[in-house]
Amino acid sequence: MFLKNVWQVAAFSAEIVDRPLARKLLGEDVVLYRTSTGEPAALLDECPHRLAPLSLGKVVDGVLQCGYHGMRFNGDGVCVHAPGQERVPVNAKARSFPVIERHALVWIWMGDPAKADETLAPDVFWMTHPDWAISQGYHHVAANYQLLNDNLLDLSHETFVHSHTIGNAAVADSPLAVSQDGENVIRAHRDMLNCEPPPFYVKAAGFTGRIDRWHTTIFTPPACNIIENGSMPAGSNKEEARRKGLTRERRVINLITPETETSSHYFWAIARCYALEDAELTEYIRAEVSRTFDEDKLILEAQQVRVRGAHFDTFPVTLRADAGAVQARRLVGRLLAEQERRDTPLQVVAQREPV
Ligand code: FES
Ligand SMILES: [Fe+2]
């Protein structure tokens, strides 16, 4: 059900402070905390003594102290203190997971620790790059992660679900072009030419006249969806418009980590490369996108109820606009089937395109 030999987001960096953070990831109860050096650590949220959740304890001198009988565990899950005795039992070890902190996110590797290779983490450099301003948020969605992938790879739904913010008729009316880059990257692109700017584009990008608009969802398994989107005055030459500063371009960073088979953690951020100092705009984008994703959550959770089992891979009807989602599901399905016999971890390719 879950691809495990891959880095997935466990938390925003800012969420892991001086207290343990409990989070279910890929069906496992995990506790996250910071060690004495400030590094994030992730353990199974289960004390090996009497199975109390370690997240009910506290961080003491950079190690995690169980809230029941006070055993202490370091970031590797090794017990470093057992109250009332000099020596700790040899089997006193909590399961630990590899974690790395990068671009203001904490990433966890839930699969074979021996395969955890830091170079395979998605490169979401926009999150911390000085040329980009970030509006970010989190949604808990009671739906399987592949339903969220479907949603992000078929943005025709913007027309019908998000008419108050980013949707207009041009989205669903414009054809989708889908391509695959290498083994693990699927791109779903749509140009929407000479259209009225949707409400969000008027307020967040300052367009009043007709625009040319485009978006490309770049999917890497299991659920990393980076959307490149942009707009410019209708009829412009893109390169020339870029040179003149007439384009408005954003990256929508959608990082989804399965919680269970029927629920997901949805970490998102909007990166923009214009009006970087405009704090009011940063907040406006955050609030509007949060409202927009509330609309997705409503549909996805209702859809999950109908889907019932998480293994509903083949839907009765397919439209042209489904092409990206269908390819992504095929890819995830193949990787899931291969997971047990792969020798090398899944390679997730970073997307770095100049703007
Ligand atoms: S259950 Fe954790 S120390 Fe006893
Ligand atoms: Fe949506």
Side-chain angles (χ1 to χ4, degrees):
M1 176 43 55
F2 305 125
L3 286 173
K4 293 192 169 176
N5 286 330
V6 62
W7 294 105
Q8 299 184 75
V9 176
F12 286 115
S13 286
E15 289 185 279
I16 309 179
V17 283
D18 54 352
R19 292 180 306 280
L21 172 73
R23 183 153 286 164
K24 190 185 280 287
L25 302 165
L26 282 67
E28 306 251 36
D29 289 305
V30 173
V31 57
L32 296 142
Y33 76 98
R34 288 193 187 275
T35 66
S36 53
T37 57
E39 300 290 312
L43 304 180
L44 189 66
D45 191 10
E46 192 173 281
C47 178
H49 177 223
R50 288 292 183 269
L51 310 189
L54 288 168
S55 56
L56 295 180
K58 58 184 179 182
V59 180
V60 178
D61 298 332
V63 295
L64 185 54
Q65 176 175 287
C66 179
Y68 199 1
H69 310 102
M71 290 176 76
R72 292 180 185 177
F73 301 90
N74 69 14
D76 295 324
V78 174
C79 179
V80 293
H81 174 69
Q85 57 191 71
E86 306 270 295
R87 296 176 56 151
V88 297
V90 283
N91 60 346
K93 186 161 187 328
R95 182 177 165 202
S96 69
F97 302 93
V99 281
I100 54 172
E101 188 162 28
R102 195 166 288 174
H103 303 309
L105 293 159
V106 174
W107 303 78
I108 191 165
W109 185 277
M110 301 290 289
D112 180 354
K115 292 180 176 175
D117 175 350
E118 293 194 13
T119 65
L120 299 181
D123 184 6
V124 292
F125 66 95
W126 307 276
M127 297 291 292
T128 48
H129 196 287
D131 293 344
W132 296 80
I134 292 287
S135 306
Q136 70 183 43
Y138 166 88
H139 277 65
H140 180 270
V141 182
N144 180 267
Y145 68 100
Q146 296 213 66
L147 290 180
L148 277 78
N149 287 341
D150 293 346
N151 172 282
L152 294 161
L153 281 154
D154 173 15
L155 295 175
S156 69
H157 76 270
E158 288 181 3
T159 303
F160 308 100
V161 180
H162 307 310
S163 60
H164 298 298
T165 53
I166 54 176
N168 61 6
V171 188
D173 288 346
S174 304
L176 185 71
V178 176
S179 57
Q180 185 157 348
D181 286 353
E183 198 186 346
N184 285 323
V185 181
I186 289 165
R187 303 169 73 94
H189 175 82
R190 187 182 266 112
D191 282 308
M192 294 143 279
L193 303 177
N194 194 23
C195 60
E196 287 294 329
F200 179 85
Y201 281 66
V202 174
K203 290 187 200 150
F207 287 112
T208 49
R210 297 178 80 81
I211 59 171
D212 288 344
R213 182 186 167 193
W214 64 93
H215 55 218
T216 310
T217 303
I218 303 163
F219 167 81
T220 45
C224 172
N225 293 274
I226 307 296
I227 300 173
E228 300 177 351
N229 71 27
S231 47
M232 60 188 179
S236 305
N237 172 286
K238 197 185 283 183
E239 292 317 313
E240 197 178 309
R242 275 181 174 152
R243 272 200 304 279
K244 292 181 176 171
L246 296 176
T247 57
R248 289 289 177 267
E249 304 204 31
R250 290 177 293 272
R251 299 291 179 269
V252 187
I253 301 156
N254 304 279
L255 303 168
I256 298 142
T257 304
E259 178 186 53
T260 68
E261 292 191 5
T262 55
S263 60
S264 302
H265 300 287
Y266 182 10
F267 302 91
W268 54 264
I270 317 300
R272 70 175 191 277
C273 58
Y274 59 93
L276 300 181
E277 306 298 326
D278 189 341
E280 211 172 296
L281 179 60
T282 299
E283 172 52 22
Y284 172 79
I285 292 175
R286 189 207 60 75
E288 284 298 282
V289 171
S290 182
R291 185 162 74 97
T292 301
F293 290 172
D294 286 346
E295 295 171 334
D296 289 304
K297 175 178 160 77
L298 197 73
I299 289 272
L300 289 162
E301 294 185 345
Q303 188 189 13
Q304 178 66 60
V305 172
R306 291 290 183 271
V307 167
R308 298 179 188 92
H311 301 284
F312 200 101
D313 261 355
T314 312
F315 292 86
V317 173
T318 299
L319 300 176
R320 279 187 189 166
D322 293 320
V326 167
Q327 284 201 28
R329 278 183 175 264
R330 206 175 286 150
L331 177 54
V332 170
R334 180 169 62 73
L335 292 169
L336 282 168
E338 286 176 7
Q339 180 165 253
E340 295 309 313
R341 53 195 162 83
R342 278 178 86 92
D343 290 333
T344 53
L346 179 61
Q347 176 85 38
V348 175
V349 179
Q351 297 301 320
R352 260 184 194 273
E353 299 221 341
V355 168

